[in-house]
Amino acid sequence: MSARPSVTATDYVEDVSPGSGALPPRAWYASSDAASLSLNGSWRFRLSPTADAQDDSFAEEGYDAGDWAEVTVPGHWVLQGHGSPVYTNHLYPFPVDPPHVPTDNPTGDHLRSFDLPEDWPDLDGGGAVLRFDGVESCARVWLNGTDIGEFKGSRLAHEFAVGHLLRPAGNVLAVRVHQWSAGSYLEDQDQWWLPGVFRDVTLLHRPAGSALDFFVHASYDHTGGEGTLRVDSDVDGRVTVPDLGVDVATGEPVTVPVEPWTAETPRLYDGVLATEGERIPLRIGFRTVRLADGLIQVNGRPLLFKGVNRHEWHPERGRALDPATMLADVLLMKRHNINAVRTSHYPPHPAFLDLCDEYGLWVIDECDLETHGFTEQGWRDNPVDDDRWTPALLDRAARMVERDKNHPSVVVWSLGNEAGTGRGLTAMAEWIHARDSSRLVHYEGDPDCRDTDMYARMYASHAEVERIGQGLDGGTRKRRRLPFVLCEYAHAMGNGPGGLADYQRIFEAHDRLQGGFVWEWIDHGIRHPELGYAYGGDFGEELHDANFVCDGLLFPDREPSPGLVEYKKVIEPVRIEGGPDGTVRVTNRYDFADLSALAFTWSYERDGESVESGTLSVPALAAGESADVKLPQPPEDRGNAETWCTVRALLAADTAWAPRGHVVGWGQFPVTPRTPVPVAPAERPVRTDDRITLGPAVFDARTGRLTSVGGVELTGPRLDVWRATTDNDDGAPWQSDARHGVLWRQLGLHRMQHRLDTVESGRDALTVRTRVAPAAREVGLDTVYRWTSDGHRLRLTVSVTPEGEWKLPLPRLGVRLGLPASADRVRWYGGGPGEAYPDTKSASLVSRWKSRVDGMQTPYVRPQENGARADVRWVELGGLRIEGEPEFWFTARRWTAEQLDTAAHLTDLTPGDTVWVNLDHGQHGIGSQSCGPGPLPQYFLHAEPAEFSFVFSVTD
């Protein structure tokens, strides 16, 4: 192969073509018996402000880069001290003038010297390929002074033939990377813009007679239980699968009995493709994907996606993921009952798909394509409807399909995301359908479903999804006959998402609805020495979308958020519900597997403490089946104790993704109800100087404010309706319906004023009458505090009557009080262990729990309302026991809601000398309005008359 002519201009940066010099795309595989050399590690690095600031002399032999900096490859130079990251959701951070990019175009020159290993094969007997698995956004490459090509397509593999250029020692690889290029217009994907060589760089020996490309076809006939295998290869060879007794030539089909591959039962068969020059290990999964009877079916059964959208992310390394991080993602998904991944919005590192094959996850593999910023101009000049860009689009489609075609986990190809519509997308769909008829094609931005095999939407409301399930959505005739998938829903930004259980009930009620993918998997916070985790704007960006990049079910450090715990409960594959006459109904919600891998336990809890437990015999129900199982008799009732029954489904044996005893699903239902203990008024308020005493309590005589109970000093309580608004309260700016956080502030609920009307000492009660209202408004809350005591305990009854025309729900309704900072240890009986709100409480288990105050905080990257425990019967902290009637929401923190509300980062929160406690009668729902719909009406906290009580006593 002759060297390419030297190119000194930078015209290629703004060329709409995919590049030049690269080999045709082919299947990726982790290893073979051919030699390979990783070029990852420390590289020399020089950053220039523009694409043409430096000539290409750095690529010539003998160039001295001794004074250059060093960066780690894979990596992003902006995360290694050279420049800064930029975050935008969909706005391009440069003028929209395709294909042109700014003159100020950070350009990183990379140099790596390497010697071939001593055992590297004789190059006369074959060639070598240099592979880049991912470079953002445009790269030009030289080897030993020879220009070998340039490419775009940041999250796609590119290979170059370099065998003729290699030498045993002293090889020099030079790579020039430009942050902005014509390719940037195709990669506007709601993520940090992070230039660099961020995936592996590998040198591969290609022996004579080695495979150039191969395609593993492994279908499954569910009617006969047989699989048909055919491996097409550009080079003749043989395929062996020892477990199946298969030994056939490439291109020759063979049909044998097999166990099929599914995400629930990911059976892989080890095989080998042997050609004259190479032996390639194969991992073969037999499965057939079809659109049949209007449904996405695998192996003859329809799927219900319980999925997530996954950007690749690490808080320190960005999109440069190591194998351990990828495995951590897969294990967390499996342990939280997730069965599907949409690779938003680009193909992932190919090793991630190997893990999906091995552990079992359905994959929608998405092309590296999004032109979302063109929506600002009505999609004018959109590249996907411009024939000049079509070769680049087809190149991206081919590089995805050819690289990933041998993964059984990949069941759907996605053309990309939020790129409008156009001829280029149609060309991509036609090419993919022709190249691989064994999978379906997805694209959300095609409302007529002209190019797709399913009707996909983002953030449709519950009501609309219900109508679609009922077939009442209209649209083209083709669309009405297709299955429906919510490729994005339940925006997991900050506290939330709410309404997951309501969506799941709708999915399960209508066959046409085949589930959805929560947006998204992980918060993209960048670890920062002063801010904790940084988000948009924290690096001085002029244009940014703030913390919209932190919208995941995992925190940046991969700790599960309450949203992920809630999702696990909502999508659990075994439904456990209380039945009549001492039975429990168990329903298998798997698509394929029976329940033989699960063991079941039961327990009875009295006032939150287990009193009896044991194992439960449940039949190995097939997918979709239910059974009513008799429970043991509950323990004899003792007095007024509240009794619950909890049934759990556990892994019966160790699996590849979780140990024996891992909880897959659970159900809890009441046996005997709670009977609150009454506090009979037996004490009379006594006024002494500036104090009023009532039983164990002391009040300020002028204000009627409680100051201590049984010697425990406190501040308050008084009515509180404000919460530090959540991302979902504030809503996305483009939301047209009510954004409650914004409207709450306009009404002034964050600065309510309390007017004292009277303090009345009666025969058996102290009554304090107040009015709580925002400045400049005529609405208010007439609030009466009535205190009584039996001599040992103190009862507070709060009566609230709205005045005026309240057009908004309340954020919360309850009382707030302060305790000394020493009130650190918390015990409670009620929902737990984590936070819950009206539409996020499926995973809240009624039991006895304990924590420290700091442990009750949920560390959302942007601080906001968090940490409430639901259905609390009683709580103990700081020497006080507080019981509620009815059950209440409980929150404790070392700062006020107002301080929480003004914090931009967790590091802005400084613990004070008071523990602030909220005892709430009600909380407004959470919803998903940071991008999706707000709370459903049944979760609104309307301003209406309310009465609730708390009993205070001193703990032993």
Side-chain angles (χ1 to χ4, degrees), residues 381-609:
D381 298 326
N382 185 9
V384 305
D385 200 28
D386 184 335
D387 291 338
R388 295 175 300 168
W389 294 79
T390 299
L393 303 183
L394 289 173
D395 180 76
R396 288 172 184 246
R399 290 190 181 278
M400 171 183 69
V401 171
E402 301 296 3
R403 192 197 76 168
D404 298 341
K405 59 183 178 280
N406 294 328
H407 290 283
S409 57
V410 176
V411 293
V412 177
W413 302 116
S414 177
L415 303 181
N417 185 68
E418 292 177 313
T421 58
R423 292 163 286 176
L425 288 166
T426 298
M428 293 170 68
E430 290 175 348
W431 185 91
I432 293 174
H433 276 120
R435 175 59 174 148
D436 181 20
S437 61
S438 69
R439 294 177 173 94
L440 306 182
V441 172
H442 161 274
Y443 179 65
E444 180 271 339
D446 180 11
D448 293 335
C449 301
R450 178 181 59 182
D451 301 322
T452 64
D453 298 312
M454 63 200 69
Y455 176 32
R457 287 284 303 281
M458 296 180 181
Y459 306 108
S461 69
H462 297 80
E464 185 177 5
V465 173
E466 182 90 58
R467 290 195 300 272
I468 293 170
Q470 295 168 343
L472 303 176
D473 57 302
T476 62
R477 183 179 181 185
K478 178 183 179 183
R479 191 180 89 180
R480 295 195 306 271
R481 294 181 173 182
L482 292 179
F484 177 79
V485 172
L486 270 176
C487 63
E488 293 181 21
Y489 82 113
H491 198 251
M493 185 177 179
N495 188 331
L500 284 169
D502 305 278
Y503 272 117
Q504 197 66 23
R505 281 192 289 269
I506 299 170
F507 292 158
E508 294 176 3
H510 304 283
D511 291 341
R512 185 190 183 192
L513 308 179
Q514 295 202 251
F517 296 78
V518 168
W519 186 268
E520 67 162 305
W521 178 237
I522 187 169
D523 287 343
H524 300 190
I526 295 176
R527 200 180 303 278
H528 191 282
E530 298 172 0
L531 303 176
Y533 290 108
Y535 48 76
D538 288 334
F539 297 96
E541 309 103 297
E542 292 182 352
L543 185 69
H544 64 85
D545 285 285
N547 67 314
F548 202 70
V549 75
C550 295
D551 46 12
L553 294 169
L554 293 181
F555 296 119
D557 61 0
R558 281 184 161 71
E559 281 297 310
S561 76
L564 181 56
V565 177
E566 174 81 356
Y567 195 36
K568 174 186 177 180
K569 173 61 180 168
V570 166
I571 61 175
E572 59 191 6
V574 54
R575 185 72 45 76
I576 301 170
E577 301 167 300
D581 303 323
T583 62
V584 59
R585 167 152 287 201
V586 179
T587 302
N588 181 349
R589 297 298 308 175
Y590 284 111
D591 292 327
F592 296 90
D594 64 23
L595 298 187
S596 59
L598 301 180
F600 291 80
T601 65
W602 60 268
S603 67
Y604 285 108
E605 301 92 29
R606 181 180 292 128
D607 285 344
E609 293 186 311

Side-chain angles (χ1 to χ4, degrees), residues 575-776:
R575 185 72 45 76
I576 301 170
E577 301 167 300
D581 303 323
T583 62
V584 59
R585 167 152 287 201
V586 179
T587 302
N588 181 349
R589 297 298 308 175
Y590 284 111
D591 292 327
F592 296 90
D594 64 23
L595 298 187
S596 59
L598 301 180
F600 291 80
T601 65
W602 60 268
S603 67
Y604 285 108
E605 301 92 29
R606 181 180 292 128
D607 285 344
E609 293 186 311
S610 179
V611 290
E612 291 184 13
S613 62
T615 59
L616 189 67
S617 179
V618 175
L621 301 169
E625 289 186 343
S626 297
D628 292 325
V629 180
K630 188 70 174 176
L631 287 165
Q633 282 292 112
E636 182 181 349
D637 184 24
R638 297 180 182 177
N640 295 319
E642 178 183 21
T643 305
W644 288 79
C645 180
T646 306
V647 176
R648 294 177 173 85
L650 319 171
L651 287 180
D654 291 345
T655 69
W657 49 269
R660 176 179 179 268
H662 168 79
V663 178
V664 173
W666 57 269
Q668 187 179 56
F669 36 92
V671 178
T672 59
R674 173 189 179 220
T675 304
V677 179
V679 179
E683 294 287 312
R684 181 173 188 156
V686 177
R687 181 185 292 267
T688 305
D689 297 327
D690 58 351
R691 300 194 311 168
I692 296 174
T693 59
L694 177 62
V698 178
F699 298 83
D700 182 286
R702 184 181 65 85
T703 63
R705 184 77 61 84
L706 178 67
T707 60
S708 68
V709 177
V712 178
E713 296 184 355
L714 51 81
T715 303
R718 69 175 185 173
L719 192 76
D720 190 14
V721 299
W722 181 247
R723 71 185 187 195
T725 55
T726 69
D727 291 312
N728 287 307
D729 289 336
D730 291 335
W734 58 84
Q735 298 283 14
S736 59
D737 55 346
R739 296 164 58 199
H740 288 123
V742 176
L743 297 177
W744 288 337
R745 290 185 198 278
Q746 290 177 357
L747 183 59
L749 298 188
H750 61 306
R751 46 178 174 77
M752 299 287 274
Q753 297 184 17
H754 297 249
R755 186 187 76 205
L756 175 64
D757 289 339
T758 62
V759 177
E760 304 168 2
S761 296
R763 177 170 183 151
D764 60 359
L766 174 65
T767 302
V768 181
R769 302 184 185 276
T770 69
R771 187 176 189 270
V772 183

Side-chain angles (χ1 to χ4, degrees), residues 79-96:
L79 297 182
Q80 300 184 59
H82 306 279
S84 299
V86 175
Y87 167 63
T88 59
N89 167 28
H90 75 279
L91 298 175
Y92 289 105
F94 47 78
V96 181

Side-chain angles (χ1 to χ4, degrees), residues 82-117:
H82 306 279
S84 299
V86 175
Y87 167 63
T88 59
N89 167 28
H90 75 279
L91 298 175
Y92 289 105
F94 47 78
V96 181
D97 183 24
H100 304 297
V101 295
T103 299
D104 293 332
N105 187 359
T107 296
D109 290 332
H110 299 66
L111 277 177
R112 172 75 152 85
S113 298
F114 65 93
D115 299 334
L116 296 180

